[in-house]
Amino acid sequence: MTDRSTVRPPLPGAPTVAGPAAGPPAAAELPLVAAVARGVALVVVLPVRLLWELIAATGRLLYRHLLGPTGRFLRRWLLAPLAWALHRLLWVPLVWVARTLVWLPLVWLVRTFVWLPLVWLGHAMAWVARVVLRPPLVLFGRALVWLVEHLVVRPLRWLGTVLAPAGRLVVAAVVGAWRVAGWLLRLLYRPLLRGLRWAWSAIVVPVARGVGAAWRATVSPVARWIRRSVLDPARLASREVLTALGLRR
């Protein structure tokens, strides 16, 4: 079989041989497009590629024989001396001036006029607290302890020693009285309850009834007479007077 990609287009005027391997017209146009693309690549891309290679080779030659040596020369004989001069003639003097004329005087001022007065003030306050305040406080504390010991603790101890037997006697008496009272109540519970009931029914109830009857016979009629004869006329008279004066409608 014949490879169609390697088939060259026929020369102009050459006779065309028809054979069984001839394809359709689209297959015949494909080698023509490939030839045109190759021509364009040869005419456009190849010169650009050659120009780029020429520029790259020129740059490498310039860097190797001109720019590199020039950079090394400038760095060794210009930049390094300039950096050394700036460090020795500018940075070192500036650091010395800042340390000698700014930082050390500032530290001396702070230490002399701030830190030392604070230290002296702290020592003075400690001396005042130790010499002036501590002795009175110690004496006051000892006096307070002595007063509490002699006026509170010892009297309470003596009072407890004295009152302990009396307290025990009082407690024993109260407990004994409570027990006797309980025994008497248990012994006299039923007779005492019966006596209370009899006294209630025989004395309290008749007296209450008599007082009620006497109240109804004496106080109630007098109260009704006072209300009807005195209070009601007085209330009516006061109402009429207030109505006449216009103070009540």
Side-chain angles (χ1 to χ4, degrees), residues 161-215:
T161 305
V162 172
L163 295 180
R168 288 192 291 269
L169 291 177
V170 171
V171 171
V174 171
V175 172
W178 181 262
R179 291 177 180 177
V180 172
W183 178 77
L184 291 176
L185 286 177
R186 287 194 302 270
L187 183 63
L188 302 176
Y189 171 71
R190 295 183 181 274
L192 184 61
L193 184 60
R194 291 177 182 177
L196 290 175
R197 288 179 180 176
W198 177 86
W200 180 267
S201 60
I203 298 174
V204 177
V205 173
V207 170
R209 290 177 180 175
V211 171
W215 180 273

Side-chain angles (χ1 to χ4, degrees), residues 233-249:
R235 186 171 60 254
L236 293 175
S238 62
R239 183 181 298 175
E240 290 176 359
V241 170
L242 291 175
T243 302
L245 294 175
L247 298 176
R248 183 176 181 181
R249 297 180 180 179

Side-chain angles (χ1 to χ4, degrees), residues 7-247:
V7 177
R8 297 290 185 272
L11 297 176
T16 304
V17 180
E29 293 178 358
L30 184 60
L32 180 62
V33 173
V36 173
R38 290 192 184 91
V40 171
L42 290 175
V43 174
V44 177
V45 177
L46 184 60
V48 172
R49 179 64 180 274
L50 292 176
L51 180 61
W52 174 256
E53 293 292 339
L54 180 61
I55 293 172
T58 304
R60 287 193 295 271
L61 290 175
L62 289 175
Y63 178 78
R64 181 180 302 172
H65 298 286
L66 180 61
L67 297 178
T70 303
R72 288 190 294 272
F73 174 81
L74 293 176
R75 184 177 68 251
R76 182 175 181 180
W77 299 104
L78 181 61
L79 297 179
L82 182 61
W84 181 88
L86 291 176
H87 178 76
R88 293 293 182 180
L89 301 178
L90 183 61
W91 178 251
V92 173
L94 286 177
V95 171
W96 182 86
V97 169
R99 183 177 183 276
T100 306
L101 301 180
V102 178
W103 177 251
L104 292 180
L106 182 62
V107 171
W108 181 83
L109 289 174
V110 172
R111 182 180 297 174
T112 304
F113 296 101
V114 178
W115 178 251
L116 289 180
L118 290 177
V119 172
W120 293 342
L121 180 61
H123 288 306
M125 293 178 64
W127 181 84
V128 169
R130 183 177 63 255
V131 177
V132 178
L133 297 178
R134 186 174 179 272
L137 292 176
V138 172
L139 292 177
F140 176 75
R142 291 177 180 176
L144 184 62
V145 171
W146 185 87
L147 289 175
V148 172
E149 178 69 23
H150 290 79
L151 299 180
V152 177
V153 177
R154 289 187 179 181
L156 289 178
R157 290 177 181 173
W158 178 82
L159 186 61
T161 305
V162 172
L163 295 180
R168 288 192 291 269
L169 291 177
V170 171
V171 171
V174 171
V175 172
W178 181 262
R179 291 177 180 177
V180 172
W183 178 77
L184 291 176
L185 286 177
R186 287 194 302 270
L187 183 63
L188 302 176
Y189 171 71
R190 295 183 181 274
L192 184 61
L193 184 60
R194 291 177 182 177
L196 290 175
R197 288 179 180 176
W198 177 86
W200 180 267
S201 60
I203 298 174
V204 177
V205 173
V207 170
R209 290 177 180 175
V211 171
W215 180 273
R216 288 190 299 271
T218 57
V219 178
S220 296
V222 173
R224 285 194 297 270
W225 179 84
I226 291 173
R227 187 180 66 252
R228 293 174 183 175
S229 301
V230 179
L231 295 179
D232 291 342
R235 186 171 60 254
L236 293 175
S238 62
R239 183 181 298 175
E240 290 176 359
V241 170
L242 291 175
T243 302
L245 294 175
L247 298 176

